[in-house]
């Protein structure tokens, strides 16, 4: 049972600039059936290719009953070059030939955006460690320093810089980038809108597991056939993303309050309440300037953070020279053993504070979209890591000789004459560090929303040069409110530090699981290396996690609850989106019904072009039938437009749009699948969109006419793109071979372009193909002159009365609330309301 409503709007003619873009698909061999299942293999000039190694998605019974009827055509034209981006894409190749000056510029920006979090860890690491495990002797200081140094080496350096950063998805980092990478190599996505034609996008760069590595093939098979494993992978991704968002709350709180606490060292009369008030003011300022973007802010704060790292290194060297240089013996890991031997329980408990020296490691990966991998690696190895080590060694040297308040180890170790300048730089660095996880949160949320796991929100692109630099206003203010609440509720650095450790470890462990999967499925490296990676890093993170869980009752449970809430929100959105799509697939209109209505579709065909936006990649959406019954007339030309996100960062503009004919010519119905990567920017100019669409459609029709004019009498065997059980084999030069039943003879028919079509029984036959072409083009131009209207179908779902209570609660209340308050299609379409017609339809599920 369906409920509907409609909103009528008048049509108007759109004018805009016209530009052309030729799009040509790369020449490949593809075997395609009616469900768009394809086999894709490159043409090998060396003659080593073996067709027998292909794996077809078609049932074996059908394969046995088919031969190939060869139809040679020219290269396919199935895309139109819509100028959909106002912000041009910055591909990884943009950085590859960077000059020395450009490299220095990127290093400065990298410091300001990527390393702020890990760079400010000396402000609070020893403070939290020695709050959990008070110093009993100088050997405890050496043991704690050794623990910090090797944590820095193992987690940020070895795990992230040398391993995890290499698992990037064409320069994109974060948990959803790993998920996208896995989805390209195995069909693990739960949303059933994948098309095999997506694998022909050049940015897929798919590496199929080799036949020699049976382990990779078996793992791929298990992932694709097991619904449980698919759900498990998605749960890991959603859990990791929820902890990234939680990290975006606790990082500003921890960094700012740790820096402001230095007032209590410089001005002993300052109370904790004053520290809290100043911290809140800092947080408000911080999130208020976030809208100015990564590029602008990063350029300003990059040099500031460079001064901060130099100050860390300089103060460390000063303390080593003037206090106790014997702390260098902490590089001997045996002191870690002695530390645990003397303080078994306290040493284990102090691990929760030690972990804070590695906070920001995940931000290096999540913020990878802003900068090239090599720049991040070089900056960390040659600048960030040495300065951090010198900073920690300087604090330890000061404590060995002077003792003092170990909970204020950093500010106590600053020389008297440099205290206030360093304090100022430390506060600036803390504000910068707070931005690091905020930008990482923006990136993760955009990726998750593109892949259907987070409600759609307004995304502002802050750079016209680098489209990965974004700002999400709703999330920005939400993070600010949460951080302020956290600072006001939990003013203790120790408790906030424990919450910090929970969020950071949650992300780290999810990343470790996903990287292990990448190693097995994609990298296909030796199993011994995978086992070692798992044992070392997963084991280490579990030990750290056990320590932070010990202090969860002190107030840090708030951040864990926050992460669980975000996880539930993403699960509900993903579940509702998947259920909605599956329902729309089941309810789609039958082609027989469409044919039975005739070319007039059982109503009046008014002049004009209607762009019907829907989510289906195949079939005629049920909402179209609703348009037919609700509106007194429909447009003389209909184009089904589907906006689809594929698991790649960027889809090249000349490969973005697939264009096909639905039914016969007399129906004047076409389908367009607009494919976007999760990093792509959808910023469409309505007038240019209309003009380029018409121009591209005209190219498509001309190519189709060229093909039909050269076809032989085998046309009667061809059928519609939707329902034809025959196959299409596209050769390396763009030629297309249609498959027929085994009773047919093998015929070679020559044609010039490839389209999917059906016999035109409804059109009057004509002996002049050129006349037919001109007639259709004239029809197109007349429809264009009448105007373009955007038909927007809103499909909602409601749980049936007999459904379980939990399902009703999730679908009818939680999911419905999120859909009502998230960004709707009218906001992203940028179409004038005078050119917009909306129809709503509710499905009972």
């Amino acid at each position: 049972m369906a409920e509907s409503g409609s909103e009528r709007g008048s049509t108007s003619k759109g004018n805009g600039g016209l530009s052309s873009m030729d799009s040509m698909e790369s020449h490949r061999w593809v075997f395609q059936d009616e469900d768009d299942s394809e086999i894709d293999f490159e043409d090998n000039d060396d003659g080593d290719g073996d067709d027998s190694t292909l794996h077809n998605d078609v049932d074996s019974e059908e394969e046995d009953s088919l031969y190939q009827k060869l139809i040679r055509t020219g290269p396919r034209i199935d895309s139109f070059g819509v100028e959909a981006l106002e912000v041009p894409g910055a591909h990884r190749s943009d950085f590859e030939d960077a000059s020395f000056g450009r490299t220095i510029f990127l290093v400065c920006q990298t410091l300001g955006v990527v390393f702020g979090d890990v760079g400010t860890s000396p402000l609070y690491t020893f403070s939290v460690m020695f709050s959990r495990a008070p110093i009993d002797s100088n050997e405890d200081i050496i043991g704690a320093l050794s623990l910090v140094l090797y944590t820095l080496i193992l987690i940020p350096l070895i795990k992230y810089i040398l391993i995890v950063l290499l698992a990037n998805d064409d320069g994109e980092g974060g948990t959803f980038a790993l998920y996208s990478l896995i989805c390209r190599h195995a069909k693990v996505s739960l949303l059933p809108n994948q098309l095999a034609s997506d694998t022909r996008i050049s940015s897929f760069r798919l590496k199929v597991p080799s036949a020699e590595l049976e382990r990779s093939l078996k793992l791929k098979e298990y992932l694709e056939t097991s619904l449980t494993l698919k759900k498990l992978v998605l749960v890991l991704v959603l859990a990791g993303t929820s902890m990234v968002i939680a990290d975006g709350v606790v990082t500003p709180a921890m960094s700012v309050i740790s820096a402001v606490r230095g007032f209590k060292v410089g001005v002993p009369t300052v109370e904790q309440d004053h520290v809290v008030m100043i911290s809140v003011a800092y947080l408000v300022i911080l999130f208020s300037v976030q809208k100015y973007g990564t590029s602008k802010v990063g350029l300003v704060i990059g040099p500031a953070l460079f001064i901060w790292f130099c100050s860390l290194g300089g103060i460390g060297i000063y303390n080593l020279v003037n206090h106790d240089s014997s702390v260098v013996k902490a590089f001997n890991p045996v002191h870690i053993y002695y530390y645990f031997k003397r303080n078994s329980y306290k040493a284990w408990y102090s691990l929760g504070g030690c972990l804070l020296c590695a906070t920001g490691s995940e931000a290096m990966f999540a913020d990878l979209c802003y900068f090239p991998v090599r720049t991040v690696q070089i900056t960390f190895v040659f600048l960030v890591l040495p300065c951090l080590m010198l900073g920690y060694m300087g604090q330890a040297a000061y404590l060995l000789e002077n003792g003092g308040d170990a909970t204020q180890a950093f500010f106590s170790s600053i020389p008297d004459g440099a205290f206030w300048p360093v304090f100022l730089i430390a506060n600036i660095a803390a504000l910068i560090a707070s931005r690091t996880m905020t930008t990482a949160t923006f990136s993760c949320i955009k990726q998750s929303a593109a892949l259907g796991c987070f409600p759609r929100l307004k995304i502002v692109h802050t750079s016209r040069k680098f489209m990965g630099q974004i700002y999400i206003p709703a999330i920005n203010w939400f993070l600010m409110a949460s951080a302020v609440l956290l600072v006001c509720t939990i003013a203790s650095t120790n408790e906030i530090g424990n919450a910090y450790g929970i969020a950071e470890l949650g992300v780290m462990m999810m990343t470790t699981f996903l990287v292990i999967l990448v190693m097995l499925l994609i990298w296909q490296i030796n199993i011994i290396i995978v086992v070692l990676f798992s044992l070392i890093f997963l084991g280490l993170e579990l030990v750290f996690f056990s320590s932070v869980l010990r202090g969860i009752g002190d107030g840090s449970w708030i951040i864990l609850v926050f992460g669980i809430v975000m996880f539930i929100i993403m699960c509900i959105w993903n579940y509702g989106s998947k259920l909605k799509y599956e329902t729309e697939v089941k309810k789609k209109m039958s082609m027989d019904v469409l044919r039975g209505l005739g070319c007039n579709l059982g109503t009046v065909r008014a002049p004009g072009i209607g762009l019907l936006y829907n989510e289906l990649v195949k079939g005629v959406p049920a909402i179209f039938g609703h348009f037919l019954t609700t509106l007194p007339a429909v447009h003389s030309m209909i184009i089904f437009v589907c906006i689809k996100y594929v698991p790649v960062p960027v889809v090249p503009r000349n490969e973005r749009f697939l264009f096909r004919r639905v039914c016969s010519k007399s129906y004047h119905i076409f389908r367009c699948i607009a494919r976007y990567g999760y990093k792509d920017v959808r910023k469409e100019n309505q007038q240019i969109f209309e003009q380029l669409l018409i121009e591209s459609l005209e190219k498509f029709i001309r190519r189709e006419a060229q093909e039909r004019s050269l076809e032989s009498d085998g046309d009667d065997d061809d059928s519609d793109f939707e329902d034809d059980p025959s196959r299409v084999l596209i050769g390396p030069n763009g030629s297309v071979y249609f498959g027929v039943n085994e009773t047919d003879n093998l015929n070679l028919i020559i044609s010039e372009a490839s389209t999917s079509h059906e016999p035109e029984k409804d059109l009057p036959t004509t002996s002049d193909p050129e006349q037919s072409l001109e007639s259709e083009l004239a029809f197109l131009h007349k429809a264009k002159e009448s105007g373009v209207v955007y038909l927007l179908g809103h499909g909602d779902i409601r749980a049936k009365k007999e459904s379980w209570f939990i399902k009703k609660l999730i679908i009818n209340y939680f999911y419905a609330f999120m859909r009502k308050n998230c960004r709707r299609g009218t906001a992203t379409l940028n179409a004038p309301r005078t050119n917009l017609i909306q129809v709503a339809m509710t499905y009972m599920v």
Side-chain angles (χ1 to χ4, degrees):
M1 181 176 180
E3 304 167 358
S4 68
S6 65
E7 178 182 335
R8 294 285 307 280
S10 60
T11 65
S12 65
K13 181 179 178 181
N15 299 317
L18 183 64
S19 61
S20 63
M21 182 186 298
D22 294 330
S23 79
M24 190 75 68
E25 188 174 2
S26 57
H27 292 156
R28 303 185 181 191
W29 291 92
V30 179
F31 192 73
Q32 176 177 335
D33 63 11
E34 81 277 12
D35 291 327
D36 203 27
S37 300
E38 301 173 349
I39 300 175
D40 190 359
F41 56 100
E42 299 289 340
D43 179 38
N44 297 322
D45 295 334
D46 53 9
D48 294 335
D50 184 4
D51 297 358
S52 63
T53 62
L54 300 175
H55 301 275
N56 200 346
D57 295 332
V58 187
D59 294 337
S60 58
E61 292 83 4
E62 291 188 3
E63 292 177 355
D64 295 337
S65 64
L66 266 87
Y67 285 109
Q68 300 306 317
K69 168 183 151 188
L70 304 180
I71 299 178
R72 186 181 184 278
T73 73
R76 290 196 301 172
I77 301 295
D78 50 301
S79 63
F80 57 89
V82 176
E83 192 71 30
L85 302 184
E86 288 183 355
V87 184
H91 296 281
R92 295 297 105 189
S93 58
D94 295 341
F95 301 112
E96 289 175 358
D97 299 324
S99 62
F100 178 76
R102 176 65 176 163
T103 302
I104 297 299
F105 176 79
L106 285 174
V107 167
C108 285
Q109 278 200 311
T110 304
L111 285 173
V113 176
V114 177
F115 296 112
D117 194 357
V118 70
T120 54
S121 60
L123 289 174
Y124 44 76
T125 299
F126 276 152
S127 299
V128 177
M129 281 191 74
F130 294 134
S131 295
R132 290 168 168 250
I135 301 172
D136 294 331
S137 66
N138 286 346
E139 287 300 318
D140 288 344
I141 298 175
I142 298 296
L145 175 61
S146 184
L147 197 58
V148 167
L149 293 178
Y150 278 97
T151 300
L152 280 172
I153 292 172
L154 286 173
I155 296 180
L157 178 61
I158 296 179
K159 179 187 173 182
Y160 279 91
I161 292 297
L162 300 182
I163 299 177
V164 174
L165 259 61
L166 300 181
N168 66 87
D169 183 15
D170 195 24
E172 292 291 308
T175 51
F176 263 95
L178 288 173
Y179 183 61
S180 169
L181 194 62
I182 294 169
C183 285
R184 291 215 303 275
H185 290 79
K187 298 176 182 178
V188 298
S189 176
L190 293 177
L191 195 64
N193 67 342
Q194 300 89 5
L195 292 176
S197 57
D198 296 339
T199 62
R200 298 203 301 271
I201 299 174
S202 59
S203 54
F204 248 75
R205 298 177 185 175
L206 191 61
K207 176 187 175 185
V208 179
S210 59
E212 294 81 12
L213 295 178
E214 295 183 5
R215 167 173 48 84
S216 297
L217 290 172
K218 288 180 179 179
L219 178 60
K220 182 175 184 292
E221 181 182 357
Y222 292 153
L223 285 172
E224 292 180 344
T225 57
S226 174
L227 181 61
T228 302
L229 287 179
K230 290 181 181 180
K231 290 181 178 179
L232 179 60
V233 172
L234 182 62
V235 165
L236 292 176
V237 173
L238 297 184
T241 305
S242 65
M243 297 314 292
V244 168
I245 300 173
D247 214 350
V249 172
V250 73
T251 296
M254 185 65 179
S255 300
V256 168
I257 200 169
S258 297
V260 176
R261 262 190 344 136
F263 265 124
K264 299 173 73 173
V265 176
V267 183
T269 57
V270 171
E271 301 292 336
Q272 182 65 23
D273 290 342
H274 301 150
V275 172
V276 172
M277 287 189 295
I278 296 172
S279 299
V280 169
Y282 274 17
L283 290 172
V284 172
I285 295 172
L286 164 73
F287 285 100
S288 297
V289 302
Q290 191 76 36
K291 63 183 178 181
Y292 294 107
T294 301
S295 181
K296 303 179 186 67
V297 179
L299 184 60
V300 174
I301 64 182
L305 208 58
F306 177 77
I307 296 173
W308 164 250
F309 280 111
C310 291
S311 300
L312 276 181
I315 294 172
I317 293 173
Y318 173 85
N319 287 327
L320 285 172
V321 172
N322 289 276
H323 296 297
D324 194 341
S325 60
S326 65
V327 294
V328 295
K329 63 184 180 181
F331 281 102
N332 186 348
V334 72
H335 291 284
I336 298 176
Y337 168 74
Y338 293 149
Y339 182 57
F340 276 89
K341 185 178 180 180
R342 288 189 307 271
N343 313 281
S344 56
Y345 174 77
K346 288 196 303 181
W348 166 77
Y349 190 45
S350 69
L351 287 176
C354 176
L355 172 72
L356 299 181
C357 72
T359 55
S361 300
E362 188 65 30
M364 292 189 296
F365 185 46
D367 283 329
L368 195 60
C369 59
Y370 299 109
F371 306 103
V373 175
R374 185 60 56 86
T375 301
V376 175
Q377 291 175 324
I378 291 175
T379 305
F380 183 84
V381 172
F382 293 103
L383 177 61
V384 175
L385 183 61
C387 290
L388 287 175
M389 287 185 168
L390 286 172
Y392 285 115
M393 292 167 67
Q395 293 182 45
Y398 174 84
L399 291 175
L400 279 177
E401 183 170 305
N402 298 286
D405 185 8
T407 60
Q408 290 277 21
F410 174 77
F411 288 107
S412 298
S413 67
I414 301 174
D416 293 337
F419 179 83
W420 289 112
V422 173
F423 173 79
L424 177 62
I425 297 171
N427 277 263
I428 295 174
L431 293 175
I432 296 170
S434 303
R435 293 191 70 261
T436 302
M437 278 311 301
T438 305
T439 54
T441 302
F442 291 160
S443 298
C444 288
I445 288 178
K446 182 181 185 297
Q447 292 173 7
S448 59
L451 296 177
C453 296
F454 202 90
R456 293 183 298 271
L457 300 171
K458 180 181 179 181
I459 297 177
V460 178
H461 297 268
T462 59
S463 173
R464 295 185 64 86
K465 191 171 185 180
F466 302 108
M467 65 179 177
Q469 300 183 3
I470 61 174
Y471 164 71
I472 306 179
I475 296 298
N476 183 69
W477 302 121
F478 174 71
L479 293 178
M480 185 196 75
S482 301
V484 168
L485 181 63
L486 186 64
V487 168
C488 295
T489 306
I490 310 176
S492 168
T493 307
N494 188 25
E495 293 179 9
I496 297 179
N498 200 70
Y500 202 176
I502 292 174
E504 194 73 19
L505 277 169
V507 184
M508 285 182 179
M509 288 192 292
M510 297 307 107
T511 299
T512 302
F513 283 121
L514 294 173
V515 170
I516 291 171
L517 195 55
V518 169
M519 287 180 169
L520 294 171
L521 180 65
I522 303 171
W523 291 354
Q524 303 169 6
I525 60 179
N526 193 292
I527 190 65
I528 297 178
I529 298 177
V530 178
V531 171
L532 287 176
F533 177 84
S534 306
L535 291 177
I536 293 173
F537 294 106
L538 194 56
L540 186 65
E541 289 159 3
L542 287 174
V543 172
F544 277 117
F545 196 58
S546 66
S547 177
V548 296
L549 286 180
R550 165 62 180 80
I552 199 171
D554 298 332
S556 54
W557 56 270
I558 295 177
I559 207 65
L560 188 61
V561 171
F562 179 86
I564 292 173
V565 170
M566 297 307 301
F567 175 77
I568 292 174
I569 289 175
M570 289 188 287
C571 285
I572 291 175
W573 183 262
N574 180 263
Y575 172 72
S577 300
K578 176 176 174 290
L579 194 60
K580 176 177 174 291
Y581 186 86
E582 290 175 341
T583 304
E584 289 183 340
V585 171
K586 294 177 182 177
K587 300 290 185 180
K588 67 182 180 180
M589 285 186 65
S590 168
M591 292 299 296
D592 293 334
V593 173
L594 203 61
R595 293 190 186 98
L597 292 173
C599 60
N600 287 328
L601 300 175
T603 184
V604 179
R605 301 293 294 269
I609 298 175
L611 302 182
L612 176 58
Y613 281 76
N614 68 102
E615 297 182 6
L616 291 187
V617 295
K618 292 180 288 189
V620 179
I623 200 76
F624 181 59
H626 224 43
F627 272 105
L628 294 179
T629 57
T630 303
L631 303 179
V634 295
H635 300 85
S636 57
M637 182 169 288
I638 299 291
I639 301 176
F640 299 132
V641 181
C642 170
I643 305 297
K644 177 191 173 184
Y645 284 92
V646 292
V648 295
V650 176
V651 176
R653 279 178 289 180
N654 63 332
E655 301 178 29
R656 174 155 293 143
F657 298 92
L658 294 178
F659 211 52
R660 293 284 189 269
R661 184 186 293 276
V662 178
C663 289
S664 60
K665 278 188 177 181
S666 59
Y667 283 75
H668 302 293
I669 301 177
F670 299 87
R671 166 174 291 105
C672 165
I673 300 176
R675 302 176 297 184
Y676 289 83
Y678 56 77
K679 186 182 173 183
D680 277 325
V681 182
R682 282 185 57 198
K683 201 75 174 176
E684 299 170 354
N685 182 290
Q686 173 251 346
Q687 292 183 340
I688 296 178
F689 180 90
E690 293 175 7
Q691 294 288 343
L692 290 176
L693 185 146
I694 302 304
E695 182 188 68
S696 301
L697 180 56
E698 184 174 341
K699 286 182 182 180
F700 181 85
I701 293 173
R702 290 185 182 277
R703 282 287 184 159
E704 182 186 46
Q706 291 177 6
E707 172 189 337
R708 290 181 181 277
S709 66
L710 296 175
E711 285 181 355
S712 70
D713 56 359
D715 267 346
D716 292 338
D717 294 321
D718 301 331
S719 63
D720 182 63
F721 171 71
E722 299 295 334
D723 300 315
D724 181 18
S726 62
R727 311 292 194 272
V728 181
L729 182 64
I730 303 172
N733 62 348
S735 301
V736 178
Y737 306 90
F738 292 86
V740 297
N741 293 328
E742 60 181 351
T743 56
D744 297 327
N745 295 324
L746 196 64
N747 300 316
L748 179 63
I749 305 170
I750 299 189
S751 177
E752 284 300 323
S754 96
T755 55
S756 297
H757 53 274
E758 125 182 300
E760 302 183 18
K761 300 175 182 177
D762 300 319
L763 288 181
T765 58
T766 175
S767 58
D768 187 359
E770 190 66 27
Q771 182 180 351
S772 175
L773 170 63
E774 294 304 322
S775 174
E776 186 164 18
L777 290 179
F779 186 90
L780 171 62
H781 294 153
K782 180 180 178 182
K784 172 191 173 184
E785 292 172 359
S786 300
V788 177
V789 176
Y790 294 80
L791 308 174
L792 198 59
H794 297 290
D796 293 318
I797 56 175
R798 300 279 295 178
K800 295 179 181 178
K801 291 183 178 180
E802 61 270 19
S803 300
W804 289 5
F805 172 76
I806 298 297
K807 183 177 181 179
K808 289 181 180 179
L809 185 65
I810 292 174
I811 297 299
N812 297 348
Y813 295 96
F814 295 143
Y815 180 70
F817 175 80
M818 286 189 280
R819 275 189 62 85
K820 182 179 179 180
N821 291 278
C822 75
R823 196 166 172 83
R824 303 300 292 260
T826 51
T828 58
L829 200 56
N830 289 333
R833 289 195 171 272
T834 54
N835 290 52
L836 186 65
I837 298 178
Q838 302 183 67
V839 169
M841 187 171 184
T842 301
Y843 303 101
M844 304 306 294
V845 297

